[in-house]
Amino acid sequence: MAFEESFAVAWSHLDGNGHMANTAYMLIAIDCRFHYFASRGVAPADFARWRIGPAVRHDELDYYREMHFMQQARVNLAISGLAPDASRFRLVNEIRRPDGELAARVTSLGGWLDLEARKLVAPPAPLA
C-alpha cells in the first residue's frame, strides 16, 4: 500500500535556523496517515465510534536534505510491516523535495489501542 500527497512548508514548520523543524516532519507524517484513512472512507468519527486509535510506541526520524519556507514537497505513506491480525504495524513516511530528493524518513512502530481496555487489539475490518 502506498499513498502520497503534497504540502508546502509553512511558517509554523520552521525552527530557529529557518529549516523545517523535527516536530514538523512528525506532524506532516501524522497528517498524511489520517488523510490516507479519510481517502479510504474512514473518518475521525469512526475512530470515536469504534473507541480505537493508533498508538505509536517508537518513532525514528532520519534527515537527508533541508526543507525551507514555502517549498513545495511530497509526503508518502507505506506499510513496511504488519502483524497477521493487523494489531501492530510499521509505517514509513518519506518526505521529498520538489526535485524528488529525499528530505526525511519517518519510521513508526505502533498498534491499534482499544481506548477502554487500554491494550492493543486487532482493528475493525475497514482499518485492517
Side-chain angles (χ1 to χ4, degrees):
M1 182 271 315
F3 174 77
E4 185 173 89
E5 64 184 3
S6 61
F7 72 97
V9 177
W11 182 261
S12 61
H13 292 148
L14 303 181
D15 64 15
N17 297 322
H19 307 128
M20 195 160 146
N22 62 337
T23 53
Y25 286 104
M26 298 302 300
L27 293 173
I28 293 294
I30 292 166
D31 283 349
C32 179
R33 294 168 190 179
F34 280 98
H35 293 160
Y36 166 76
F37 295 131
S39 78
R40 299 303 188 265
V42 177
D46 295 319
F47 289 102
R49 183 170 41 85
W50 294 327
R51 302 287 300 140
I52 192 172
V56 173
R57 183 180 62 84
H58 177 81
D59 284 314
E60 185 175 295
L61 178 51
D62 296 303
Y63 306 98
Y64 299 95
R65 296 284 182 261
E66 295 177 340
M67 297 286 298
H68 300 283
F69 181 50
M70 296 182 71
Q71 192 171 28
Q72 295 297 310
R74 308 274 314 155
V75 58
N76 65 36
L77 167 65
I79 295 175
S80 67
L82 191 63
D85 67 353
S87 62
R88 290 166 179 76
F89 49 76
R90 178 184 295 123
L91 303 176
V92 176
N93 292 93
E94 289 186 339
I95 298 165
R96 295 191 176 270
R97 295 161 29 123
D99 61 7
E101 275 197 82
L102 183 62
R105 179 180 294 122
V106 178
T107 303
S108 301
L109 303 175
W112 294 106
L113 182 68
D114 180 311
L115 298 176
E116 292 174 12
R118 309 308 291 176
K119 66 177 190 170
L120 295 182
V121 296
L127 291 177

